[in-house]
Amino acid sequence: MTSSPLTRRSALMIAGSLPLLAAGHAASAQDAAKQDAPRDGMTVQVPSIAPYRRMKLGAFTVTTLLAGTRPLESPQETFGMNATAEEFAAASKAAFIPEDKSLNFFTPTLIETGEEVILFDTGLSPEGITTALAAAGVAPDAVTTVVLTHMHGDHIGGLSTDTLPTFPNARYIAGQIEFDHWAAAGNEGFDTKVRPLSERMTLIGDGTEVTAGITAMLAPGHTPGHMVFLIESDGARLMLTADTANHFVWSLGYPDWEVRFDADKALAAQTRRKIFGMIAADRIPFIGYHMPFPGVGYVETAGDGFRFVPASYQLDV
Ligand SMILES: [Zn+2]
């Protein structure tokens, strides 16, 4: 425990010294204190965060789905491999986050176009994604299309249990370059999760339209065939950036900081600058798979990189 100079008592004293503009009657600070103190026989309700966030984009409904979180110790070893300890600590402090631990988010996105129900990535496990979908009121068999941005385990893990596909009615879409890379690599995750579905998979390239209004863009570096998707409906636009940036401060603010998960670190940095440069210039919202949930925001250029601006109600109005 640390003792803060701003205690509840001093907060009440400050509140008590301000003019109160309550409608109807002017409640005293004492009344307010009585009201929010727990009463005998009553438990204080702490709302838990729903694992989904539904938004509007033109005629499309876009829902981010929190399929899991994972704490990480010593994050510099993952997100700031070529930064000094001092640089990493200063960047963290400036953003009000600890430098010695972090929390990773795994956030697939569902897009309902009116005709198709399209899931982008599937989380670490079937349980994670189906739990989040259930909270959002979507049954796995309602998913018509599963799109894979790339084939790391935290994106393909929810595809199946043993040999049973999680989304029994879906067709699958993935990048040709990505598929070919992992098919040749002798990768257990690919062989278990992706290869059994390959008969039902359409392989695409840079510029391919998944469906009207959803266009794939090759964004390599994180993996050889990593893809992002531009979503457009009724003139509204949004980018699904997948793993182009893996942390909202360390990767966006410092695009050249090397990330352990990036296969080609120089190319990943170049792609980060290109994709987020476009998003900053066009001032369009983006959803990042590993951004803090609900994973939606904007970027502006700042210093040598970008500053993350979390979305508030822009996609609700
Ligand atoms: Zn990932």
Side-chain angles (χ1 to χ4, degrees), residues 57 217 229-232 235-241 275-287 296-300 309 311 314-315:
L57 189 82
M217 291 172 61
F229 293 85
L230 182 63
I231 319 295
E232 298 175 274
R237 292 190 296 159
L238 175 149
M239 185 90 85
L240 296 184
T241 58
I275 298 294
F276 287 100
M278 289 168 53
I279 291 170
D282 290 353
R283 298 176 64 85
I284 64 169
F286 77 98
I287 294 171
V296 194
Y298 300 80
V299 284
E300 62 176 2
V309 180
Q314 295 93 336
L315 297 169

Side-chain angles (χ1 to χ4, degrees), residues 121 148-150 174-176 178 204-208 216-220 223 225-229 240-244:
D121 293 331
L148 299 173
T149 63
H150 65 295
Q176 178 85 58
E178 188 73 0
I204 62 170
D206 187 39
T208 303
M217 291 172 61
L218 189 63
T223 60
H226 178 264
M227 297 190 111
V228 300
F229 293 85
L240 296 184
T241 58
D243 284 18
T244 304

Side-chain angles (χ1 to χ4, degrees), residues 118-143:
I118 308 170
L119 180 66
F120 290 81
D121 293 331
T122 66
L124 293 150
S125 68
E127 297 73 39
I129 184 62
T130 54
T131 301
L133 278 170
V138 179
D141 61 10
V143 174

Side-chain angles (χ1 to χ4, degrees), residues 67-80:
T69 60
R70 192 157 58 190
L72 178 71
E73 301 285 328
S74 308
Q76 187 181 350
E77 292 168 14
T78 296
F79 297 106

Side-chain angles (χ1 to χ4, degrees), residues 21-110:
L21 301 171
H25 73 284
S28 70
Q30 284 82 359
D31 283 345
K34 236 181 270 166
Q35 226 171 20
D36 54 10
R39 276 160 272 175
D40 288 343
M42 287 182 72
T43 49
V44 177
Q45 297 287 316
V46 180
S48 58
I49 295 168
Y52 70 95
R53 173 76 160 85
R54 190 167 271 138
M55 296 153 273
K56 276 296 197 193
L57 189 82
F60 293 175
T61 301
V62 177
T63 308
T64 58
L65 298 155
L66 185 60
T69 60
R70 192 157 58 190
L72 178 71
E73 301 285 328
S74 308
Q76 187 181 350
E77 292 168 14
T78 296
F79 297 106
M81 296 174 75
N82 58 340
T84 66
E86 291 72 28
E87 287 168 335
F88 195 81
S92 306
K93 188 177 182 191
F96 294 86
I97 55 173
E99 80 241 31
D100 59 343
K101 58 184 74 152
S102 67
L103 187 63
N104 204 354
F105 297 80
F106 303 88
T107 311
T109 296
L110 190 79

Side-chain angles (χ1 to χ4, degrees), residues 106 150 152 154-155 222 243 246 289-290:
F106 303 88
H150 65 295
H152 277 160
D154 56 319
H155 298 253
H222 182 66
D243 284 18
N246 277 324
Y289 192 81
H290 297 296

